[in-house]
Amino acid sequence: MAKKLVIKVTAGADAPERCSQAFTVAAVAVASGVDVSLWLTGESSWFALPGRAAEFELPHAAPLPDLIDSILAAGRVTLCTQCAARREITEKDVIEGVRIAGAQVFVQEALADDTQALVY
């Protein structure tokens, strides 16, 4: 099993099941002791903003704010630089603990030894 997990989530409220699956897998991996890096891209970018995850609803799914909190507690959450720029989101706008970084950092993380990358 990979010691590190990099997850890129491209879906938001536009594809709620895919979105929820990404956050759920990331939270379960963190709880299992895996080094997790969750990347918010596309429509999931909005969840880097305070309060936006609370607006997300999916029956029979864990609340998104709880999943984000658990990921931030022991993993990393990164907002894509270009996605942030397209939405006029800056570092001062995001939830504490969320960083903004670009493709170079994503590729570096995804290609590191003992790493599994997933895209939702």
Coordinates of all heavy atoms in Angstrom, one line a residue, residues 13-112:
A13 N -20.5 20.8 -6.3 CA -22.0 20.6 -6.3 C -22.5 20.2 -7.6 O -23.6 19.6 -7.7 CB -22.7 21.9 -5.8
D14 N -21.7 20.4 -8.7 CA -22.2 19.9 -10.0 C -22.2 18.4 -10.2 O -22.9 17.9 -11.0 CB -21.2 20.5 -11.1 CG -19.8 20.2 -10.9 OD1 -19.3 20.0 -9.8 OD2 -19.1 20.0 -11.9
A15 N -21.4 17.7 -9.3 CA -21.3 16.2 -9.4 C -21.1 15.8 -7.9 O -20.1 15.4 -7.5 CB -20.2 15.7 -10.2
P16 N -22.2 15.9 -7.1 CA -22.1 15.7 -5.7 C -21.5 14.3 -5.2 O -20.8 14.3 -4.2 CB -23.5 16.0 -5.1 CG -24.4 15.9 -6.3 CD -23.6 16.2 -7.5
E17 N -21.9 13.3 -5.9 CA -21.5 12.0 -5.5 C -19.9 11.8 -5.7 O -19.2 11.3 -4.8 CB -22.2 10.8 -6.2 CG -23.6 10.7 -5.7 CD -24.3 9.5 -6.3 OE1 -24.5 9.5 -7.5 OE2 -24.7 8.6 -5.5
R18 N -19.5 12.2 -6.8 CA -18.0 12.2 -7.1 C -17.3 13.1 -6.1 O -16.2 12.7 -5.6 CB -17.8 12.6 -8.5 CG -16.3 12.3 -8.9 CD -16.2 12.4 -10.5 NE -17.0 13.2 -11.2 CZ -16.7 14.4 -11.8 NH1 -15.4 14.7 -11.8 NH2 -17.5 15.1 -12.5
C19 N -17.8 14.2 -5.8 CA -17.2 15.2 -4.9 C -17.1 14.5 -3.5 O -16.0 14.5 -2.9 CB -18.0 16.4 -4.8 SG -17.4 17.6 -3.6
S20 N -18.2 14.0 -3.0 CA -18.3 13.4 -1.7 C -17.3 12.2 -1.6 O -16.7 12.0 -0.5 CB -19.7 13.0 -1.4 OG -19.8 12.4 -0.1
Q21 N -17.2 11.4 -2.6 CA -16.3 10.3 -2.6 C -14.9 10.7 -2.4 O -14.2 10.1 -1.6 CB -16.5 9.5 -3.9 CG -17.8 8.7 -4.0 CD -18.0 8.1 -5.4 OE1 -17.2 8.3 -6.3 NE2 -19.1 7.5 -5.6
A22 N -14.5 11.7 -3.1 CA -13.1 12.2 -2.9 C -12.8 12.7 -1.5 O -11.8 12.3 -0.9 CB -12.9 13.4 -3.9
F23 N -13.7 13.5 -0.9 CA -13.5 13.9 0.4 C -13.5 12.8 1.4 O -12.8 12.7 2.4 CB -14.5 15.0 0.8 CG -14.2 16.3 0.2 CD1 -14.7 16.7 -1.0 CD2 -13.3 17.2 0.9 CE1 -14.4 18.0 -1.6 CE2 -13.0 18.5 0.4 CZ -13.6 18.9 -0.9
T24 N -14.4 11.8 1.2 CA -14.6 10.7 2.1 C -13.3 9.8 2.0 O -12.8 9.4 3.1 CB -15.8 9.9 1.7 OG1 -17.0 10.7 1.8 CG2 -16.0 8.6 2.6
V25 N -12.8 9.5 0.9 CA -11.6 8.7 0.7 C -10.5 9.4 1.4 O -9.7 8.8 2.1 CB -11.3 8.4 -0.8 CG1 -9.9 7.8 -0.9 CG2 -12.4 7.4 -1.3
A26 N -10.3 10.7 1.2 CA -9.2 11.5 1.8 C -9.3 11.4 3.4 O -8.3 11.2 4.1 CB -9.3 12.9 1.4
A27 N -10.5 11.6 3.9 CA -10.7 11.6 5.4 C -10.5 10.2 5.9 O -9.8 10.0 7.0 CB -12.1 12.0 5.7
V28 N -10.9 9.1 5.3 CA -10.7 7.8 5.7 C -9.2 7.5 5.7 O -8.6 6.8 6.6 CB -11.5 6.8 4.9 CG1 -11.1 5.3 5.2 CG2 -13.0 6.9 5.2
A29 N -8.5 7.9 4.7 CA -7.1 7.7 4.6 C -6.3 8.4 5.7 O -5.5 7.8 6.3 CB -6.6 8.1 3.2
V30 N -6.7 9.6 5.9 CA -6.1 10.3 7.1 C -6.3 9.6 8.4 O -5.4 9.4 9.2 CB -6.6 11.8 7.1 CG1 -6.3 12.4 8.5 CG2 -6.1 12.6 6.0
A31 N -7.5 9.2 8.6 CA -7.9 8.4 9.8 C -7.1 7.1 9.9 O -6.9 6.6 11.0 CB -9.4 8.2 9.9
S32 N -6.7 6.6 8.8 CA -5.9 5.3 8.8 C -4.4 5.6 8.9 O -3.6 4.6 8.8 CB -6.2 4.6 7.5 OG -7.6 4.3 7.4
G33 N -4.0 6.8 9.0 CA -2.6 7.1 9.2 C -1.8 7.3 7.9 O -0.6 7.4 7.9
V34 N -2.5 7.5 6.8 CA -1.9 7.7 5.5 C -1.6 9.2 5.4 O -2.4 10.1 5.8 CB -2.8 7.3 4.4 CG1 -2.2 7.6 3.0 CG2 -3.1 5.8 4.5
D35 N -0.5 9.5 4.8 CA -0.1 10.9 4.5 C -0.9 11.4 3.3 O -0.7 10.9 2.2 CB 1.4 11.0 4.2 CG 1.9 12.4 3.9 OD1 1.1 13.4 3.9 OD2 3.1 12.6 3.6
V36 N -1.9 12.3 3.5 CA -2.8 12.7 2.5 C -2.6 14.1 2.0 O -2.5 15.0 2.9 CB -4.3 12.5 2.9 CG1 -5.3 13.0 1.9 CG2 -4.6 11.0 3.2
S37 N -2.7 14.3 0.7 CA -2.7 15.7 0.1 C -3.9 15.7 -0.8 O -4.0 15.0 -1.8 CB -1.4 15.9 -0.7 OG -1.4 17.2 -1.3
L38 N -4.9 16.6 -0.4 CA -6.1 16.7 -1.2 C -6.0 18.0 -1.9 O -5.8 19.1 -1.4 CB -7.3 16.8 -0.2 CG -8.7 17.0 -0.9 CD1 -9.1 15.8 -1.8 CD2 -9.7 17.3 0.1
W39 N -6.2 17.9 -3.3 CA -6.2 19.1 -4.1 C -7.6 19.5 -4.6 O -8.3 18.6 -5.1 CB -5.3 18.8 -5.4 CG -3.8 18.8 -5.0 CD1 -3.1 18.0 -4.3 CD2 -2.9 19.9 -5.4 NE1 -1.8 18.4 -4.2 CE2 -1.7 19.5 -4.9 CE3 -3.1 21.0 -6.2 CZ2 -0.6 20.3 -5.0 CZ3 -1.9 21.8 -6.3 CH2 -0.7 21.5 -5.8
L40 N -7.9 20.7 -4.4 CA -9.2 21.3 -4.8 C -9.0 22.0 -6.2 O -8.3 22.9 -6.3 CB -9.7 22.3 -3.8 CG -9.8 21.8 -2.3 CD1 -10.3 22.9 -1.4 CD2 -10.8 20.6 -2.3
T41 N -9.7 21.5 -7.2 CA -9.6 22.1 -8.5 C -11.0 22.2 -9.1 O -12.0 21.6 -8.6 CB -8.8 21.2 -9.4 OG1 -9.4 20.0 -9.7 CG2 -7.4 20.9 -8.9
G42 N -11.2 22.9 -10.2 CA -12.5 23.1 -10.8 C -13.5 23.5 -9.8 O -13.3 24.4 -9.0
E43 N -14.7 22.9 -9.8 CA -15.8 23.4 -9.0 C -15.6 23.1 -7.5 O -16.2 23.7 -6.6 CB -17.1 22.7 -9.5 CG -17.6 23.4 -10.7 CD -17.9 24.8 -10.6 OE1 -18.7 25.3 -9.7 OE2 -17.3 25.6 -11.3
S44 N -14.7 22.2 -7.2 CA -14.4 21.9 -5.7 C -13.6 23.1 -5.1 O -13.5 23.2 -3.9 CB -13.7 20.6 -5.5 OG -12.3 20.7 -6.0
S45 N -13.1 24.0 -6.0 CA -12.3 25.1 -5.5 C -13.1 25.9 -4.5 O -12.5 26.5 -3.5 CB -11.9 26.0 -6.6 OG -11.1 25.3 -7.6
W46 N -14.4 26.0 -4.7 CA -15.2 26.8 -3.8 C -15.2 26.4 -2.3 O -15.4 27.1 -1.4 CB -16.7 26.9 -4.3 CG -16.8 27.5 -5.6 CD1 -17.1 26.9 -6.8 CD2 -16.6 28.9 -5.9 NE1 -17.1 27.9 -7.8 CE2 -16.8 29.1 -7.3 CE3 -16.2 30.0 -5.2 CZ2 -16.6 30.3 -7.9 CZ3 -16.0 31.2 -5.8 CH2 -16.3 31.4 -7.2
F47 N -14.9 25.1 -2.1 CA -14.9 24.5 -0.8 C -13.6 25.0 0.0 O -13.5 24.7 1.2 CB -15.0 23.0 -0.8 CG -16.3 22.6 -1.4 CD1 -16.3 21.6 -2.4 CD2 -17.5 23.1 -1.0 CE1 -17.4 21.2 -3.0 CE2 -18.7 22.7 -1.6 CZ -18.6 21.7 -2.6
A48 N -12.7 25.7 -0.6 CA -11.6 26.3 0.1 C -12.1 27.6 0.9 O -11.3 28.1 1.8 CB -10.5 26.7 -0.8
L49 N -13.3 28.1 0.6 CA -13.8 29.3 1.2 C -14.6 28.9 2.5 O -15.3 28.0 2.5 CB -14.7 30.1 0.3 CG -14.0 30.6 -1.0 CD1 -15.0 31.2 -1.9 CD2 -12.9 31.6 -0.6
P50 N -14.4 29.7 3.6 CA -15.2 29.5 4.8 C -16.7 29.4 4.5 O -17.2 30.3 3.8 CB -14.8 30.7 5.7 CG -13.5 31.2 5.1 CD -13.6 30.9 3.7
G51 N -17.4 28.4 5.1 CA -18.8 28.3 5.0 C -19.3 27.7 3.7 O -20.5 27.2 3.7
R52 N -18.6 27.5 2.7 CA -19.1 27.0 1.4 C -19.4 25.5 1.6 O -20.3 25.0 1.0 CB -18.1 27.2 0.3 CG -18.0 28.7 -0.1 CD -19.3 29.3 -0.6 NE -19.7 28.9 -1.9 CZ -19.5 29.6 -3.0 NH1 -18.8 30.7 -3.0 NH2 -20.0 29.1 -4.1
A53 N -18.5 24.8 2.3 CA -18.8 23.3 2.5 C -20.1 23.1 3.2 O -20.8 22.0 2.9 CB -17.6 22.7 3.2
A54 N -20.5 23.9 4.1 CA -21.8 23.8 4.8 C -23.0 23.8 3.9 O -24.0 23.3 4.2 CB -21.9 24.9 5.9
E55 N -22.8 24.4 2.7 CA -23.9 24.5 1.7 C -24.1 23.2 0.9 O -25.1 23.1 0.3 CB -23.7 25.7 0.8 CG -23.6 27.0 1.5 CD -23.1 28.1 0.5 OE1 -23.0 27.9 -0.7 OE2 -22.9 29.2 1.0
F56 N -23.1 22.4 1.0 CA -23.1 21.1 0.2 C -24.0 20.1 0.9 O -23.8 19.8 2.1 CB -21.7 20.6 0.1 CG -21.6 19.3 -0.7 CD1 -21.5 19.4 -2.1 CD2 -21.5 18.1 -0.1 CE1 -21.4 18.2 -2.9 CE2 -21.4 16.9 -0.8 CZ -21.3 17.0 -2.2
E57 N -24.9 19.5 0.2 CA -25.7 18.4 0.8 C -25.8 17.2 -0.1 O -25.9 17.4 -1.3 CB -27.1 18.9 1.0 CG -27.2 20.0 2.1 CD -28.7 20.4 2.4 OE1 -29.6 19.6 2.0 OE2 -28.9 21.5 3.0
L58 N -25.6 16.0 0.5 CA -25.8 14.8 -0.2 C -26.3 13.8 0.7 O -25.7 13.5 1.8 CB -24.4 14.3 -0.8 CG -24.5 13.0 -1.6 CD1 -25.3 13.2 -2.9 CD2 -23.1 12.6 -2.0
P59 N -27.5 13.2 0.5 CA -28.1 12.2 1.4 C -27.2 11.1 1.6 O -26.5 10.6 0.7 CB -29.4 11.8 0.6 CG -29.7 12.9 -0.3 CD -28.4 13.5 -0.7
H60 N -27.1 10.6 2.9 CA -26.3 9.5 3.3 C -24.8 9.7 3.2 O -24.1 8.7 3.2 CB -26.8 8.2 2.6 CG -28.2 8.0 2.5 ND1 -28.9 7.6 3.7 CD2 -29.1 8.1 1.5 CE1 -30.2 7.5 3.4 NE2 -30.4 7.8 2.1
A61 N -24.4 10.9 3.2 CA -23.0 11.2 3.1 C -22.6 12.0 4.4 O -23.4 12.7 4.9 CB -22.7 12.0 1.9
A62 N -21.3 11.8 4.8 CA -20.8 12.6 5.9 C -20.8 14.1 5.5 O -20.6 14.4 4.4 CB -19.4 12.1 6.2
P63 N -21.1 15.0 6.5 CA -21.1 16.4 6.2 C -19.7 16.8 5.7 O -18.7 16.5 6.3 CB -21.4 17.0 7.6 CG -22.1 15.9 8.4 CD -21.5 14.7 7.9
L64 N -19.7 17.6 4.7 CA -18.4 18.0 4.1 C -17.6 18.8 5.0 O -16.3 18.6 5.0 CB -18.7 18.8 2.8 CG -17.6 18.8 1.7 CD1 -17.1 17.5 1.3 CD2 -18.1 19.6 0.5
P65 N -18.1 19.7 5.8 CA -17.3 20.5 6.8 C -16.5 19.5 7.7 O -15.4 19.8 8.0 CB -18.3 21.4 7.5 CG -19.4 21.5 6.6 CD -19.5 20.2 5.9
D66 N -17.2 18.5 8.2 CA -16.5 17.5 9.1 C -15.4 16.8 8.4 O -14.3 16.6 8.9 CB -17.5 16.5 9.6 CG -18.6 17.1 10.5 OD1 -18.4 18.2 10.9 OD2 -19.6 16.4 10.8
L67 N -15.6 16.4 7.1 CA -14.5 15.8 6.3 C -13.3 16.7 6.1 O -12.2 16.3 6.3 CB -15.1 15.3 5.0 CG -16.2 14.2 5.1 CD1 -16.7 13.9 3.7 CD2 -15.7 12.9 5.7
I68 N -13.6 17.9 5.8 CA -12.5 18.9 5.6 C -11.8 19.1 6.8 O -10.5 19.1 6.8 CB -13.1 20.2 5.0 CG1 -13.6 20.0 3.6 CG2 -12.0 21.3 5.1 CD1 -14.4 21.2 3.0
D69 N -12.5 19.3 8.0 CA -11.8 19.5 9.2 C -10.9 18.3 9.6 O -9.7 18.5 10.0 CB -12.8 19.6 10.4 CG -13.5 21.0 10.3 OD1 -13.0 21.9 9.6 OD2 -14.5 21.1 11.0
S70 N -11.3 17.1 9.3 CA -10.5 15.9 9.6 C -9.3 15.8 8.7 O -8.2 15.4 9.1 CB -11.3 14.6 9.6 OG -11.7 14.3 8.3
I71 N -9.5 16.2 7.4 CA -8.3 16.2 6.5 C -7.3 17.3 6.9 O -6.1 17.0 7.0 CB -8.8 16.4 5.1 CG1 -9.7 15.2 4.6 CG2 -7.6 16.5 4.1 CD1 -10.6 15.5 3.4
L72 N -7.8 18.4 7.2 CA -6.9 19.5 7.6 C -6.1 19.2 8.9 O -5.0 19.7 9.2 CB -7.6 20.8 7.8 CG -7.9 21.6 6.5 CD1 -8.9 22.7 6.8 CD2 -6.7 22.1 5.8
A73 N -6.8 18.4 9.8 CA -6.1 18.1 11.1 C -4.9 17.3 11.0 O -3.9 17.4 11.8 CB -7.1 17.4 12.0
A74 N -4.8 16.4 9.9 CA -3.6 15.6 9.8 C -3.1 15.4 8.4 O -2.1 14.7 8.2 CB -4.0 14.2 10.4
G75 N -3.7 16.1 7.5 CA -3.3 16.1 6.1 C -3.1 17.5 5.5 O -3.0 18.5 6.3
R76 N -3.0 17.6 4.2 CA -2.9 18.9 3.5 C -4.0 19.1 2.6 O -4.5 18.1 1.9 CB -1.6 18.9 2.8 CG -0.3 19.1 3.7 CD 0.9 19.0 2.9 NE 1.1 17.8 2.0 CZ 1.2 16.6 2.4 NH1 1.3 16.3 3.7 NH2 1.4 15.6 1.5
V77 N -4.5 20.3 2.5 CA -5.5 20.7 1.5 C -4.9 21.8 0.7 O -4.4 22.8 1.2 CB -6.8 21.1 2.1 CG1 -7.8 21.6 1.0 CG2 -7.4 20.0 2.9
T78 N -4.9 21.7 -0.7 CA -4.3 22.7 -1.6 C -5.4 23.1 -2.6 O -6.1 22.3 -3.1 CB -3.1 22.1 -2.3 OG1 -2.2 21.6 -1.3 CG2 -2.4 23.1 -3.2
L79 N -5.4 24.4 -2.8 CA -6.3 24.9 -3.9 C -5.4 25.2 -5.0 O -4.4 25.9 -4.9 CB -7.0 26.2 -3.3 CG -7.7 27.1 -4.4 CD1 -8.9 26.3 -5.0 CD2 -8.3 28.3 -3.7
C80 N -5.8 24.8 -6.2 CA -5.1 25.0 -7.5 C -5.0 26.5 -7.7 O -5.9 27.3 -7.6 CB -5.9 24.3 -8.6 SG -5.4 24.9 -10.2
T81 N -3.8 26.9 -8.1 CA -3.5 28.3 -8.4 C -4.4 28.9 -9.5 O -5.0 30.0 -9.3 CB -2.0 28.5 -8.8 OG1 -1.2 28.0 -7.7 CG2 -1.6 30.0 -9.0
Q82 N -4.4 28.2 -10.6 CA -5.2 28.7 -11.7 C -6.7 28.7 -11.4 O -7.4 29.7 -11.7 CB -5.0 27.9 -13.0 CG -3.6 28.1 -13.6 CD -3.4 27.3 -14.8 OE1 -4.4 26.7 -15.4 NE2 -2.2 27.2 -15.3
C83 N -7.2 27.7 -10.7 CA -8.6 27.6 -10.3 C -8.9 28.8 -9.4 O -10.0 29.4 -9.5 CB -8.9 26.3 -9.7 SG -8.5 24.9 -10.7
A84 N -8.0 29.1 -8.4 CA -8.2 30.2 -7.5 C -8.3 31.5 -8.3 O -9.2 32.3 -8.1 CB -7.1 30.2 -6.5
A85 N -7.4 31.7 -9.2 CA -7.3 32.9 -9.9 C -8.6 33.1 -10.8 O -9.1 34.2 -10.8 CB -6.1 33.0 -10.8
R86 N -9.1 32.1 -11.4 CA -10.3 32.2 -12.2 C -11.5 32.6 -11.4 O -12.5 33.1 -11.9 CB -10.5 30.9 -13.0 CG -9.7 30.7 -14.2 CD -10.1 29.5 -15.0 NE -9.7 28.2 -14.5 CZ -8.5 27.7 -14.7 NH1 -7.6 28.3 -15.5 NH2 -8.2 26.5 -14.2
R87 N -11.5 32.2 -10.1 CA -12.6 32.5 -9.2 C -12.3 33.7 -8.3 O -13.0 34.0 -7.4 CB -12.9 31.3 -8.4 CG -13.5 30.2 -9.3 CD -13.4 28.8 -8.6 NE -14.0 27.8 -9.5 CZ -13.4 27.2 -10.6 NH1 -12.1 27.6 -10.9 NH2 -14.0 26.3 -11.3
E88 N -11.2 34.4 -8.6 CA -10.7 35.5 -7.8 C -10.6 35.2 -6.3 O -11.0 36.0 -5.4 CB -11.6 36.7 -8.1 CG -11.6 37.2 -9.5 CD -12.5 38.3 -9.8 OE1 -13.2 38.9 -8.9 OE2 -12.5 38.8 -11.0
I89 N -10.1 34.0 -6.0 CA -9.9 33.6 -4.6 C -8.4 33.8 -4.3 O -7.5 33.4 -5.1 CB -10.2 32.1 -4.4 CG1 -11.7 31.8 -4.7 CG2 -9.9 31.7 -3.0 CD1 -12.1 30.4 -4.8
T90 N -8.1 34.5 -3.2 CA -6.8 34.7 -2.8 C -6.5 34.0 -1.5 O -7.4 33.5 -0.8 CB -6.5 36.2 -2.6 OG1 -7.3 36.7 -1.5 CG2 -6.9 37.0 -3.8
E91 N -5.2 34.0 -1.1 CA -4.8 33.3 0.2 C -5.5 33.9 1.4 O -5.8 33.2 2.3 CB -3.3 33.4 0.3 CG -2.5 32.5 -0.6 CD -1.0 32.5 -0.4 OE1 -0.6 33.2 0.6 OE2 -0.4 31.8 -1.2
K92 N -5.9 35.2 1.3 CA -6.6 35.8 2.5 C -8.0 35.3 2.6 O -8.7 35.5 3.6 CB -6.5 37.3 2.5 CG -7.2 38.0 1.3 CD -7.1 39.5 1.4 CE -7.6 40.3 0.3 NZ -8.9 39.9 -0.2
D93 N -8.6 34.7 1.5 CA -9.9 34.3 1.5 C -10.2 32.9 2.0 O -11.3 32.6 2.4 CB -10.5 34.3 0.0 CG -10.4 35.7 -0.6 OD1 -10.7 36.7 0.1 OD2 -10.0 35.8 -1.8
V94 N -9.2 32.0 1.9 CA -9.4 30.6 2.2 C -9.4 30.2 3.7 O -8.9 31.0 4.5 CB -8.3 29.8 1.4 CG1 -8.4 30.0 -0.1 CG2 -6.9 30.0 2.0
I95 N -9.9 29.1 3.9 CA -10.0 28.5 5.3 C -8.5 28.4 5.8 O -7.6 28.0 5.0 CB -10.6 27.1 5.2 CG1 -12.0 27.1 4.8 CG2 -10.5 26.4 6.6 CD1 -12.6 25.8 4.4
E96 N -8.3 28.6 7.1 CA -7.0 28.5 7.6 C -6.5 27.1 7.4 O -7.2 26.1 7.6 CB -7.0 28.8 9.1 CG -5.7 28.8 9.8 CD -5.7 29.2 11.2 OE1 -6.7 29.8 11.7 OE2 -4.8 28.9 11.9
G97 N -5.2 27.0 6.9 CA -4.6 25.7 6.7 C -4.6 25.3 5.2 O -3.9 24.4 4.8
V98 N -5.5 25.9 4.4 CA -5.5 25.6 3.0 C -4.4 26.5 2.3 O -4.3 27.7 2.5 CB -6.9 26.0 2.4 CG1 -6.9 25.8 0.9 CG2 -8.0 25.1 3.0
R99 N -3.6 25.8 1.5 CA -2.6 26.6 0.7 C -3.0 26.7 -0.7 O -3.9 25.9 -1.2 CB -1.2 25.9 0.8 CG -1.2 24.5 0.1 CD 0.2 23.9 0.1 NE 0.1 22.6 -0.5 CZ 1.1 21.9 -0.8 NH1 2.3 22.3 -0.6 NH2 0.9 20.7 -1.4
I100 N -2.4 27.6 -1.4 CA -2.6 27.7 -2.9 C -1.3 27.4 -3.6 O -0.3 27.9 -3.2 CB -3.1 29.1 -3.3 CG1 -4.5 29.4 -2.6 CG2 -3.2 29.3 -4.8 CD1 -5.0 30.8 -2.8
A101 N -1.4 26.4 -4.5 CA -0.2 26.0 -5.2 C -0.6 25.5 -6.6 O -1.7 25.2 -6.9 CB 0.6 24.9 -4.5
G102 N 0.4 25.4 -7.5 CA 0.2 25.1 -8.9 C 0.5 23.7 -9.3 O 0.9 22.8 -8.5
A103 N 0.5 23.5 -10.6 CA 0.7 22.2 -11.2 C 2.1 21.6 -10.9 O 2.2 20.4 -10.7 CB 0.5 22.2 -12.7
Q104 N 3.1 22.4 -10.8 CA 4.4 21.9 -10.5 C 4.4 21.2 -9.2 O 5.0 20.1 -9.0 CB 5.4 23.0 -10.5 CG 6.8 22.6 -10.2 CD 7.8 23.7 -10.1 OE1 7.5 24.9 -10.3 NE2 9.1 23.4 -9.9
V105 N 3.8 21.7 -8.2 CA 3.7 21.1 -6.8 C 2.9 19.8 -6.9 O 3.3 18.8 -6.3 CB 3.2 22.1 -5.8 CG1 3.1 21.4 -4.4 CG2 4.1 23.3 -5.7
F106 N 1.8 19.9 -7.6 CA 0.9 18.7 -7.8 C 1.7 17.5 -8.4 O 1.7 16.4 -7.9 CB -0.3 19.0 -8.6 CG -1.1 17.7 -8.8 CD1 -2.0 17.2 -7.8 CD2 -1.0 17.0 -10.0 CE1 -2.7 16.1 -8.0 CE2 -1.8 15.9 -10.2 CZ -2.6 15.4 -9.2
V107 N 2.4 17.8 -9.5 CA 3.2 16.8 -10.2 C 4.3 16.2 -9.2 O 4.5 15.0 -9.1 CB 3.8 17.3 -11.5 CG1 4.8 16.4 -12.1 CG2 2.7 17.6 -12.5
Q108 N 5.0 17.1 -8.5 CA 6.0 16.7 -7.6 C 5.4 15.8 -6.5 O 6.0 14.7 -6.2 CB 6.6 17.9 -6.9 CG 7.7 17.6 -6.0 CD 8.3 18.9 -5.3 OE1 7.7 20.0 -5.3 NE2 9.5 18.8 -4.8
E109 N 4.3 16.1 -6.0 CA 3.7 15.2 -4.9 C 3.2 13.9 -5.5 O 3.4 12.9 -5.0 CB 2.5 16.0 -4.3 CG 2.8 17.1 -3.4 CD 1.6 17.6 -2.6 OE1 0.5 17.1 -2.8 OE2 1.8 18.6 -1.9
A110 N 2.6 14.0 -6.7 CA 2.0 12.8 -7.3 C 3.1 11.8 -7.7 O 2.8 10.6 -7.8 CB 1.1 13.1 -8.5
L111 N 4.3 12.3 -8.1 CA 5.3 11.4 -8.6 C 6.3 11.0 -7.5 O 7.3 10.3 -7.8 CB 6.1 12.1 -9.8 CG 5.2 12.3 -11.0 CD1 6.0 13.0 -12.1 CD2 4.7 10.9 -11.5
A112 N 6.1 11.4 -6.3 CA 7.0 11.0 -5.2 C 6.9 9.5 -5.0 O 5.9 8.8 -5.3 CB 6.6 11.8 -3.9

